[in-house]
Amino acid sequence: MRNFFVGVLSILLIVTFLASASADRTSNSTVYRINKKYRIVNNSSSDATDVNLTFYAFDNFENWAYQRVLSENIALGFPKEITHNPDNRIVNVDLGRIESEKSVTISVSYLVRVDAVYMDLEPEGVRGDIPSGYENYTKPIDNLWQSDNPLIKNKSHELTAGLTNYYCKVKKLAGFVENHLSYELQPQECSAFWAYEHGWGDCAEYTNLIIALCRAENIPTKMVRGYLPFTRLYGSKTNELPEVGHKFAIVYLPSEGWVPLDLTYLIDGEFQFGNLSNKHIVKLVSDGRNLVRDSTISIPDARISYSYKKTNPNLQILISGQVKREVAITTKILSQIRSHQRSLEISVKVSNEGLRRGNGVKVKLTTENEYFDVPSPRKIPTLGPGESKTLQFELGMKKSAENKLVKAIVLYNAPGYENLRYEDRLMVTTTVSHDFFEPLVKMVKEILEKRFYLIILIMVLLAGAAFVVRR
């Protein structure tokens, strides 16, 4: 009899302290170490003088992207100047003279933290019209974004006819580009009109076409160029520069501001609109006016100017580098298995893909408390580089659920870094059969919602237990 009352008290305490779903925003933090070299080569018989190298440095971003430059080392030995425009940091280096048959190498290294962004866009959240002041982002760019071309203009009008919501307009135009183009790597970047006519391209052509279509509808857009390492977008996972160069767009939506739009980075077969992964490292943002030189597309990763007396030395810039994950613990929900009628078994894999060990790793599930009993968090004291662990969680089912979000969240520290986070998401649909005990469980829960009655109930149970012991 004593064991019965102890069991009842345990059940009451467990039900009282049910876990609630977390409302935290996704971070999916990764810290990258980026090493880059600019080698300026003079293979001619003439000296080059007044040599100036200009390149874009990584910068901090918020809202449509989350990126933080944690450290920067520009090993120059030459005078330099860092300037800013509204979207970029630009480094100008005075190299002076480069003699014939000589070269100069500039080494740059960065530590950059990149977090994923999930804006959870909905048409209802995009209200009103484009405000004034964004006209420069709606203009055509000759030989690149031909938004004034009659074919592109007619197609954009055809696709958006009858639509007034800017979210719906962009979604419609992006869907057309996705279906009209086939993904195929290009040896050199081609314009929006070229992509429209030929029907194929890589991330550059997809981006150029969606920008031209949006600008034809007076929707402000910009181009974003950076890196997308450790993906299979280029046929194999690589981290070499500049092979992992990537391009996507940002569009301006009323009441939302600038929003990322990547048509070639697919998740579950869908392009990303309002979402940006932690693999997107941003290097350059442009309204297009600096992307064409002498009627040729020329993305300004690095440019050089110089003087000479007789023969043009035709200096070359050779760019190389590598991206490494300094800190990167990831999580992946592997499976969900119904272990019995009232619970799901969730398998979660935690992997350290970075170069530094993770300490105090905490793994937890969060979801809607109305439908599930959330298990207690699990801890991994330390997780070394290249190590992974698979944890099992039992998710209690309270009632049937359809497309309910379950998150597996990892919180951890690493040497030199604190409060890092990564998560994976799973939509769960379950059916719970009613049984004899369900009304009793429901009644107990309703009682427990009243703290006053809970105290009285526990006192009665304790008094009953004492009475039984005396007998």
Side-chain angles (χ1 to χ4, degrees):
M1 182 67 70
R2 180 182 299 175
N3 291 339
F4 169 77
F5 281 102
V6 171
V8 171
L9 286 172
S10 300
I11 293 173
L12 291 173
L13 291 174
I14 291 172
V15 175
T16 303
F17 297 104
L18 292 173
S20 62
S22 169
D24 294 337
R25 183 179 176 179
T26 288
S27 293
N28 286 19
S29 308
T30 300
V31 178
Y32 294 97
R33 180 176 295 278
I34 305 168
N35 297 314
K36 199 166 185 179
K37 290 184 177 181
Y38 302 90
R39 184 166 176 250
I40 298 89
V41 181
N42 184 352
N43 287 324
S44 75
S45 59
S46 300
D47 292 352
T49 58
D50 303 321
V51 181
N52 183 270
L53 172 68
T54 300
F55 61 88
Y56 285 76
F58 293 98
D59 204 354
N60 299 326
F61 292 93
E62 289 185 354
N63 301 320
W64 63 266
Y66 186 90
Q67 180 170 292
R68 282 287 176 270
V69 179
L70 305 179
S71 70
E72 178 180 78
N73 181 21
I74 303 177
L76 295 177
F78 299 94
K80 72 176 185 294
E81 178 187 18
I82 299 178
T83 59
H84 293 75
N85 63 29
D87 293 310
N88 304 287
R89 292 172 66 235
I90 304 167
V91 180
N92 295 285
V93 186
D94 183 5
L95 300 177
R97 176 187 296 269
I98 300 181
E99 297 177 351
S100 64
E101 306 298 332
K102 300 289 185 181
S103 66
V104 173
T105 299
I106 303 299
S107 298
V108 186
S109 65
Y110 307 87
L111 279 176
V112 180
R113 172 175 169 168
V114 180
D115 289 13
V117 171
Y118 293 90
M119 301 181 77
D120 296 323
L121 293 179
E122 296 291 342
E124 297 78 12
V126 179
R127 302 177 300 274
D129 295 317
I130 305 292
S132 61
Y134 291 86
E135 291 79 14
N136 280 338
Y137 311 120
T138 63
K139 295 178 180 178
I141 301 294
D142 291 341
N143 302 298
L144 180 63
W145 304 329
Q146 301 96 331
S147 55
D148 55 350
N149 180 280
L151 291 178
I152 289 179
K153 225 172 166 51
N154 290 339
K155 176 56 68 174
S156 71
H157 293 345
E158 172 192 327
L159 292 168
T160 59
L163 299 178
T164 58
N165 184 284
Y166 281 93
Y167 172 94
C168 296
K169 288 183 178 183
V170 174
K171 192 87 170 178
K172 188 75 172 180
L173 295 172
F176 166 77
V177 174
E178 181 185 37
N179 293 323
H180 184 70
L181 300 184
S182 298
Y183 190 89
E184 184 177 318
L185 287 173
Q186 299 300 303
Q188 62 183 23
E189 184 169 341
C190 300
S191 72
F193 184 64
W194 185 97
Y196 181 81
E197 280 197 314
H198 288 79
W200 67 77
D202 56 31
C203 62
E205 286 71 39
Y206 276 73
T207 300
N208 291 338
L209 183 53
I210 188 59
I211 289 176
L213 288 167
C214 285
R215 290 193 171 198
E217 293 301 309
N218 292 316
I219 302 173
T221 54
K222 300 181 190 180
M223 181 276 295
V224 182
R225 187 175 178 85
Y227 302 115
L228 189 63
F230 307 104
T231 69
R232 296 195 179 277
L233 188 61
Y234 307 98
S236 63
K237 287 189 177 182
T238 181
N239 63 336
E240 297 293 327
L241 304 180
E243 284 81 359
V244 294
H246 186 59
K247 192 173 182 180
F248 62 97
I250 53 175
V251 299
Y252 187 91
L253 298 180
S255 71
E256 289 287 350
W258 291 105
V259 172
L261 175 60
D262 191 335
L263 299 183
T264 58
Y265 183 77
L266 308 181
I267 295 180
D268 296 329
E270 295 186 2
F271 62 80
Q272 298 303 289
F273 183 27
N275 302 332
L276 202 63
S277 81
N278 61 320
K279 295 179 180 179
H280 285 77
I281 307 172
V282 177
K283 183 70 177 295
L284 165 69
V285 181
S286 175
D287 62 9
R289 288 178 290 178
N290 63 338
L291 300 181
V292 177
R293 300 181 73 183
D294 300 325
S295 302
T296 302
I297 300 173
S298 177
I299 306 300
D301 185 6
R303 287 177 176 170
I304 195 165
S305 63
Y306 55 89
S307 302
Y308 59 93
K309 289 186 177 180
K310 295 181 180 180
T311 305
N312 187 345
N314 291 317
L315 298 186
Q316 291 181 297
I317 305 177
L318 305 178
I319 302 174
S320 62
Q322 196 174 61
V323 180
K324 296 181 179 180
R325 286 178 286 210
E326 188 80 1
V327 181
I329 289 184
T330 65
T331 183
K332 179 69 175 177
I333 300 177
L334 299 178
S335 62
Q336 55 167 325
I337 303 173
R338 184 187 289 267
S339 57
H340 54 76
Q341 186 179 5
R342 287 285 181 171
S343 69
L344 290 175
E345 189 173 281
I346 305 291
S347 297
V348 178
K349 184 177 181 179
V350 182
S351 304
N352 188 343
E353 299 177 350
L355 300 175
R356 301 197 185 193
R357 72 179 184 277
N359 299 321
V361 181
K362 180 181 178 181
V363 187
K364 64 179 182 179
L365 297 185
T366 65
T367 187
E368 294 186 42
N369 207 34
E370 179 183 354
Y371 295 91
F372 301 100
D373 283 327
V374 181
S376 300
R378 303 279 297 278
K379 294 184 178 180
I380 304 172
T382 184
L383 194 66
E387 293 183 349
S388 63
K389 291 186 181 295
T390 300
L391 305 177
Q392 306 295 333
F393 292 87
E394 190 168 289
L395 193 65
M397 300 187 298
K398 296 179 180 180
K399 60 182 181 180
S400 299
E402 183 176 356
N403 291 328
K404 297 302 176 183
L405 178 64
V406 175
K407 296 181 182 179
I409 299 174
V410 175
L411 305 172
Y412 68 99
N413 299 318
Y417 306 92
E418 294 184 352
N419 303 320
L420 299 172
R421 168 190 172 105
Y422 199 97
E423 75 173 43
D424 192 25
R425 299 179 172 194
L426 178 71
M427 303 304 294
V428 173
T429 296
T430 62
T431 301
V432 176
S433 301
H434 296 283
D435 56 33
F436 174 77
F437 295 102
E438 187 165 359
L440 178 61
V441 172
K442 183 177 181 181
M443 180 188 70
V444 171
K445 290 181 181 179
E446 290 176 352
I447 293 175
L448 292 179
E449 289 177 356
K450 306 288 185 179
R451 297 275 182 175
F452 176 75
Y453 293 114
L454 174 61
I455 295 173
I456 294 178
L457 178 59
I458 292 176
M459 292 177 62
V460 171
L461 290 172
L462 290 173
F467 177 79
V468 170
V469 171
R470 291 194 192 97
R471 294 190 61 184

